[in-house]
Amino acid sequence: MVQGINLALHEEMQRDPKVLVMGQDVGVNEGVFRVTAGLHAKFGETRVIDTPLAESGILGTAVGMALAGLRPVAEMQFSGFSYLALGHLEGHCSRYRARTHGALSVPLVLRMPYGGGVRALEHHSESREAMFAHLPGIKVVIPSGPRNARALMTAAIQDPDTVVFMEPKHSYRAFREDVPEEPELMDIGKAHVVQEGSELTVITWGAMLRKTLEAVSEVQAKREASVEVIDLLSISPMDTKTIAKSVRKTGRCVVVQEAPRSFGTASEVIARINDTALMYLEAPVGRVASFDIVTPYFAREQNYFPGVEDIRRGMIKTLDY
Amino acid sequence: MTLSSARRIELFRRMLRLRNVELRIESLYHEDRMKTPVHLCIGQEAISVGVCAHLTNDDSVSSNHRSHGHYLAKGGGLNELIAELHCKESGCTKGRGGSMHLVDTAVGHMGSSSIVGGGVPIGTGMAMAYKMRGLARVSVVFFGDGAADEGVLYESVNFAMLKRLPVVYIYENNGYSVCTTTRERQAQELIFHQVLPNKMWTQTVDGNSLDAVNAAAATAIALARSGGGPSLIECKTYRVREHAGSGVDRTGKYRDPAEIERWETHDPVHGLRADLLARGLLDQKGLEAMEAAIEAEIDEAFRAAVKSPLPLDEDLTRYVYCED
């Protein structure tokens, strides 16, 4: 996935001289996770800008650059560090367009690694996508593999609005996947039906997709259940149509999220199922999620994030209801 | 840089216009036809006029909640301002943003952040964009002593110094953040006064003197335009009115009425008017004609604003995302 995102950055910087990358250590050092590898050497320090460690300053400056006609891609080293920059996301990115009735907008990408995977505690491992998705005017995108990461990053850079691009660091180097030679673009706001099925819908995103697919094959192997799997890809706007269509067909649904259980994206998915497919349900919509606590320190991390077994149990419970 | 007589008279006219616009807003505010909180800059006119006099429409301004002066001095439309205060469709943001979010992109007024300090990195980023795009434009950031309490000012100015950005920070120190004095909130004067001149040029001036502001702004803006990097001008002034709304609280609740009176005798508009009259650059008749023209313009702006329609209900959920 690191290479997929990196490829999109190279392609977009090549295509459009207005695109630039900024953040701490993104230049000479090529980023903590090497997502910006090769950019500094190729495009120079004018367009690959090493900034001070100043999250609020980074995003606030990026807002000004976007207003002045550039297309900044700003990096936060970990999503947990972005809270110091939230004021600009909430106060400017989310509302410049509405406030000026379309006269001005803030087309920037805020990209950041999020979620578990490096066994570091708290801010280094959190999933706060719901917090960003709650802001009107902001798009929140989460890829799940190298190919969609590249296509979605391309779309995010070309998008006329602010896109928060959250990179599941657990998937950074988890697996390989071929990507097409030619640049590829995916629509933001569209979910992907990973596999079709007729008895249960499992909705997930980010690093949870791989665990979900493992759990699904276990369940399928044991009891021949026909399971449909949806990868949300875009948290906001959310693809209600694809969700509704699937749940109306299967009548059963489980939502799997890495984030804490309450007030999250899963809750929103369930609310939309309520709005669009309630009368088709044969069981309450299940939720598999982390606990409502701060991401714990090293030793207990594995007990915190939903594992394959948790997902499998959640599926069985809903299937047997 | 000293001002020619004609230029001096013109800048006085701009200050007087700004003053009279705000006096009119203040006198009609109780009627409740203006639907926005207002933060008046009465007593601070020399700063916005003196600075913006050196800018072209390609240069930009990043403003704050006390924004009427920056907007009008930059050339923002008066009719659109007054309509905006009335939450009308003909307002500068079509009745969506109110007094604190004025925009006129045609003259480079690229918006104000109502969040104190919010406009500081934005103006810094705009300067970064000008530099990257090879444009000889200047970005001006207006901020107050409230924003000087905020950490993002430090982050922004540091970045501007590092990258030698064409940005001019105009620090309007009006002595108060709501009810608390600058002295009570800041342990020492702004730390950026202590930076080395080769990192950033700074100066402190009497913000109520057009000549002082004009001279410092001329230096700072020329420096930015010629690739000389950022600068910061502290304009010492006084918030004569309350933080928001109309009127002056002279009960001594949080500030000494004698302090207000002292500053009122050092009023930038009155002072300059007396000076122009004394030097014979303007006579009573000329002054009256100038004022009458300004009043007529303000009358018309209020008439048009009242007549303009309210924003459409059908528009309520529009412009969340791009609609093209």
Side-chain angles (χ1 to χ4, degrees):
Chain A
M1 183 183 290
V2 166
Q3 285 174 343
I5 300 167
N6 180 256
L7 177 61
L9 293 172
H10 273 278
E11 287 169 344
E12 283 303 291
M13 289 192 73
Q14 189 73 51
R15 182 190 61 81
D16 183 355
K18 294 196 293 296
V19 178
L20 65 106
V21 166
M22 63 195 289
Q24 193 194 3
D25 293 336
V26 299
V28 182
N29 290 308
E30 306 190 323
V32 181
F33 293 101
R34 300 192 58 78
V35 173
T36 52
L39 294 173
H40 186 267
K42 189 162 169 193
F43 299 102
E45 61 181 19
T46 321
R47 291 178 64 200
V48 183
I49 305 161
D50 277 317
T51 66
L53 196 175
E55 288 81 5
S56 181
I58 292 169
L59 185 56
T61 308
V63 171
M65 293 164 94
L67 285 172
L70 297 176
R71 294 280 180 148
V73 180
E75 173 181 304
M76 299 280 133
Q77 285 198 338
F78 288 88
S79 68
F81 304 170
S82 72
Y83 311 148
L84 283 168
L86 262 187
H88 300 291
L89 210 54
E90 170 69 88
H92 306 120
C93 298
S94 87
R95 53 188 85 186
Y96 236 99
R97 184 185 293 283
R99 176 193 281 166
T100 62
H101 207 247
L104 289 170
S105 63
V106 187
L108 64 82
V109 179
L110 179 64
R111 52 159 293 268
M112 45 201 182
Y114 87 99
V118 292
R119 301 202 79 178
L121 70 168
E122 296 205 16
H123 299 85
H124 298 80
S125 299
E126 288 172 348
S127 300
R128 290 279 183 266
E129 60 270 28
M131 194 167 75
F132 302 113
H134 192 66
L135 311 181
I138 301 283
K139 296 177 181 177
V140 182
V141 170
I142 299 182
S144 57
R147 183 170 176 179
N148 60 36
R150 183 243 204 153
L152 284 168
M153 176 54 84
T154 305
I157 293 172
Q158 294 181 16
D159 198 279
D161 292 296
T162 297
V163 179
V164 173
F165 195 90
M166 301 180 70
E167 302 164 6
K169 63 175 103 56
H170 192 258
S171 309
Y172 262 164
R173 298 174 195 283
F175 60 102
R176 294 190 168 274
E177 185 181 41
D178 287 335
V179 303
E181 282 289 317
E182 290 301 304
E184 195 177 21
L185 200 68
M186 276 176 90
D187 285 342
I188 291 174
K190 288 267 188 331
H192 175 225
V193 180
V194 180
Q195 71 169 50
E196 293 193 14
S198 58
E199 290 167 57
L200 172 69
T201 303
V202 184
I203 301 173
T204 189
W205 55 94
M208 283 295 123
L209 178 66
R210 301 272 292 175
K211 288 188 184 177
T212 296
L213 289 174
E214 265 185 66
V216 167
S217 29
E218 281 185 24
V219 171
Q220 281 175 333
K222 279 199 181 135
R223 53 188 285 173
E224 292 182 3
S226 169
V227 182
E228 182 144 306
V229 178
I230 295 177
D231 180 5
L232 269 191
L233 294 173
S234 169
I235 305 300
S236 175
M238 190 180 279
D239 187 355
T240 313
K241 261 191 200 160
T242 299
I243 295 170
K245 191 176 161 207
S246 175
V247 176
R248 285 176 180 196
K249 177 175 67 179
T250 61
R252 295 174 196 270
C253 180
V254 173
V255 190
V256 181
Q257 73 177 14
E258 186 174 325
R261 186 176 183 82
S262 304
F263 305 101
T265 306
S267 314
E268 180 61 27
V269 170
I270 294 168
R272 290 184 189 219
I273 292 171
N274 240 359
D275 294 340
T276 56
L278 182 67
M279 304 313 281
Y280 296 81
L281 287 179
E282 289 169 39
V285 180
R287 248 192 304 182
V288 179
S290 295
F291 299 102
D292 288 328
I293 57 168
V294 169
T295 311
Y297 189 24
F298 185 75
R300 297 185 300 165
E301 190 194 273
Q302 296 315 307
N303 296 331
Y304 170 74
F305 292 120
V308 175
E309 180 53 23
D310 301 307
I311 302 169
R312 194 190 64 82
R313 270 204 303 266
M315 289 168 61
I316 298 292
K317 192 179 162 193
T318 303
L319 278 168
D320 289 346
Y321 184 84
Chain B
M1 190 181 111
T2 51
L3 291 162
S4 71
S5 298
R7 188 70 176 154
R8 206 176 166 74
I9 293 167
E10 168 55 18
L11 296 188
F12 168 70
R13 191 191 67 76
R14 294 182 194 177
M15 286 168 60
L16 182 66
R17 177 172 176 263
L18 171 51
R19 169 67 57 89
N20 286 6
V21 166
E22 289 212 313
L23 286 175
R24 184 74 68 90
I25 293 168
E26 186 174 44
S27 71
L28 297 176
Y29 197 60
H30 69 279
E31 291 182 357
D32 200 28
R33 290 208 274 194
M34 281 173 271
K35 295 299 182 187
T36 171
V38 288
H39 303 84
L40 302 176
C41 66
I42 287 172
Q44 301 178 210
E45 294 88 345
I47 302 167
S48 45
V49 170
V51 170
C52 291
H54 299 279
L55 301 176
T56 71
N57 284 348
D58 286 337
D59 299 322
S60 61
V61 154
S62 181
S63 175
N64 52 56
H65 60 289
R66 201 171 301 285
S67 60
H68 302 164
H70 312 144
Y71 171 91
L72 286 176
K74 192 69 175 67
L78 178 61
N79 286 4
E80 290 78 6
L81 166 66
I82 301 303
E84 190 60 39
L85 302 186
H86 286 75
C87 189
K88 293 300 183 73
E89 192 67 34
S90 60
C92 65
T93 62
K94 300 190 189 295
R96 268 69 177 181
S99 159
M100 290 178 281
H101 306 120
L102 306 174
V103 170
D104 191 339
T105 53
V107 299
H109 195 277
M110 299 301 283
S112 327
S113 175
S114 50
I115 300 303
V116 172
V120 179
I122 293 178
T124 307
M126 298 189 77
M128 184 78 183
Y130 301 152
K131 183 168 181 176
M132 286 178 67
R133 293 170 61 193
L135 303 169
R137 295 182 185 175
V138 175
S139 168
V140 169
V141 175
F142 286 103
F143 70 100
D145 48 280
D149 294 358
E150 299 274 2
V152 76
L153 175 70
Y154 181 87
E155 297 182 24
S156 304
V157 177
N158 176 54
F159 189 66
M161 290 193 289
L162 267 178
K163 304 290 179 188
R164 295 192 69 73
L165 300 183
V167 56
V168 178
Y169 297 99
I170 303 293
Y171 174 23
E172 296 185 77
N173 185 350
N174 70 12
Y176 284 88
S177 169
V178 191
C179 294
T180 317
T181 62
T182 309
R183 273 196 315 279
E184 287 170 301
R185 303 183 337 266
Q186 292 171 14
Q188 62 156 53
E189 67 162 10
L190 196 67
I191 196 148
F192 295 115
H193 286 309
Q194 292 166 20
V195 303
L196 295 171
N198 64 342
K199 299 282 181 198
M200 181 169 72
W201 183 82
T202 75
Q203 196 166 76
T204 302
V205 300
D206 175 359
N208 285 18
S209 158
L210 175 69
D211 291 287
V213 174
N214 171 71
T219 305
I221 291 166
L223 199 66
R225 218 182 284 290
S226 63
S231 53
L232 185 148
I233 303 169
E234 175 170 356
C235 304
K236 288 204 181 293
T237 184
Y238 189 72
R239 195 195 73 208
V240 181
R241 293 307 198 265
E242 294 309 301
H243 163 64
S246 59
V248 189
D249 181 352
R250 295 179 197 271
T251 61
K253 235 183 280 170
Y254 69 93
R255 55 177 173 175
D256 184 356
E259 177 189 279
I260 304 171
E261 279 165 34
R262 246 191 342 268
W263 278 94
E264 281 173 332
T265 61
H266 186 47
D267 182 285
V269 177
H270 296 169
L272 187 53
R273 176 165 54 204
D275 178 67
L276 292 173
L277 288 170
R279 290 208 224 175
L281 293 174
L282 200 61
D283 58 16
Q284 200 57 42
K285 218 174 114 193
L287 183 65
E288 282 167 17
M290 181 188 282
E291 201 144 13
I294 289 170
E295 289 300 308
E297 197 192 353
I298 298 171
D299 289 343
E300 179 47 36
F302 274 85
R303 249 198 310 275
V306 170
K307 275 194 296 193
S308 173
L310 291 165
L312 297 172
D313 282 346
E314 299 90 276
D315 268 7
L316 187 64
T317 57
R318 290 188 59 192
Y319 293 110
V320 176
Y321 297 117
C322 180
E323 300 189 349
D324 300 338

